[in-house]
Amino acid sequence: MKGAITIISAKTMRAKAMIAFPGGFGTMDELFEALTLIQTGRMKRVPFLLFGQAFWEKIINWEALADAGTISPEDLDLFRFVETAEQAAEIIDNWEPAPPRDDIPGR
């Protein structure tokens, strides 16, 4: 299984954008792995799009994570919610990456 994790990480590291649709444990695993790589500066920041805001906000209380201090409020800017392919394409087409982080906000 370790080889599979390495392959997922290698693909993630080369991604020009990250897009997640509603899903289960596998989706959550890859979602949090990629967000952690970006958060810690191990992966360059790319458009990170979550399709279906209602779904994601129902299953993950993002604000509660920030309020509890398990992520910083700045980490909430690492992703965007979208509802349509047109919204996603607009964000990707107009993407201007933020500079790499020198440190992890709030840490």
Side-chain angles (χ1 to χ4, degrees):
M1 189 54 126
K2 183 174 170 127
I5 293 169
T6 302
I7 291 168
I8 291 169
S9 295
K11 287 181 183 179
T12 299
M13 299 294 279
R14 292 191 309 262
K16 302 296 184 203
M18 296 296 296
I19 298 173
F21 293 91
F25 290 141
T27 300
M28 299 292 175
D29 178 49
E30 291 187 38
L31 171 85
F32 285 117
E33 176 185 8
L35 283 172
T36 300
L37 289 170
I38 293 169
Q39 176 199 48
T40 58
R42 291 190 173 117
M43 179 180 162
K44 68 179 180 172
R45 191 156 176 204
V46 297
F48 205 110
L49 309 175
L50 305 179
F51 269 81
Q53 184 171 357
F55 172 82
W56 292 109
E57 288 185 338
K58 182 176 181 179
I59 62 166
I60 301 170
N61 189 335
W62 304 97
E63 294 293 331
L65 292 171
D67 291 346
T70 57
I71 64 171
S72 70
E74 293 90 346
D75 290 333
L76 298 174
D77 293 331
L78 295 177
F79 58 89
R80 298 281 177 270
F81 297 110
V82 295
E83 302 299 326
T84 66
E86 291 78 17
Q87 288 175 326
E90 182 177 336
I91 291 169
I92 293 168
D93 289 345
N94 297 309
W95 180 254
E96 293 189 29
R101 290 181 166 182
D102 292 329
D103 61 352
I104 300 172
R107 306 288 188 267

